[in-house]
Each structure stands twice: as C-alpha cells, then as structure tokens.
C-alpha cells in the first residue's frame, strides 16, 4: 500500500497472518504498536521503526516484506521480555476482567 490511509491496517493484517495478533493501531492511522519498544510508523511512503539507536525503514508498497522483518524482530524481543512487562500485562488482564463483571 503506497498511500497513508490503511498503511497500518495493511501491516497489521500481514502481521496477523504471521501469527502476531497483539499489534494495535494507535488511532492515528499510521502508527502500530507491535511489542515493547517496537512501534512502527508509516511516513513519507515508508514503514519506519527504531532498533536501539538504529533507524530502520521498509518500503510502504511492501507490507508483506515489512511484516516479515517486524515478525523477526518481535521474536527476538520476546526472548528477553522485561520483568515489568509481565507485571503490567497481569494488571491489565485483571482490570479487563473486572470491567466485564
């Protein structure tokens, strides 16, 4: 997808096809939060994200190829999950369960 509209949705669909179901669009139509420290933004025809101090980008016309790169990085990040992340996830799950009651 080359246009701004739907770029995050296209990437999210490709990520879901690869088994990453937790990615969420942040409401601006161009930003997708995939995992702790892995946020992808569509700008100027490219998907962009950072890996530490390195800025990465992938052509916006190739959401499939970008999803493969992001999925690879997602897997790497999940091997070293910060302890606070599990605590936060537990709190959020408990709050969601309470809201359903």
């Amino acid at each position: 997808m080359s246009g701004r509209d739907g770029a995050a949705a296209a990437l999210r669909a490709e990520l879901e096809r690869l088994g990453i179901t937790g990615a969420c669009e942040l409401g601006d139509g161009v930003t997708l939060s995939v995992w702790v420290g892995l946020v992808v933004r569509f700008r100027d025809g490219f998907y962009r994200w950072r890996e530490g101090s390195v800025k990465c980008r992938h052509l916006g016309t190739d959401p499939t190829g970008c999803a493969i790169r992001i999925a690879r990085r997602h897997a790497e990040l999940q091997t070293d999950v910060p302890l606070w992340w599990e605590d936060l996830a537990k709190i959020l799950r408990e709050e969601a369960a309470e809201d359903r009651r």
Side-chain angles (χ1 to χ4, degrees):
M1 177 157 303
S2 60
R4 180 181 189 268
D5 296 336
L11 180 58
R12 183 177 180 191
E14 290 298 326
L15 288 168
E16 286 178 357
R17 192 177 62 75
L18 294 171
I20 299 173
T21 58
C24 51
E25 197 265 312
L26 297 182
D28 61 2
V30 296
T31 308
L32 193 66
S33 176
V34 181
W35 186 250
V36 179
L38 183 56
V39 177
V40 182
R41 184 171 177 86
F42 184 80
R43 190 184 70 193
D44 300 329
F46 288 92
Y47 292 104
R48 300 169 186 269
W49 67 98
R50 293 182 79 117
E51 294 180 8
S53 62
V54 178
K55 295 179 182 178
C56 300
R57 69 182 189 171
H58 193 93
L59 279 175
T61 56
D62 182 22
T64 302
C66 183
I68 291 169
R69 288 180 67 188
I70 296 296
R72 215 176 281 137
R73 183 64 180 139
H74 179 264
E76 291 170 357
L77 289 170
Q78 284 194 319
T79 62
D80 191 22
V81 178
L83 294 175
W84 59 265
W85 177 254
E86 290 301 324
D87 293 338
L88 177 61
K90 181 181 176 186
I91 290 167
L92 293 174
R93 283 192 299 268
E94 289 171 359
E95 287 177 359
E98 288 175 8
D99 288 346
R100 284 186 241 141
R101 293 181 193 165

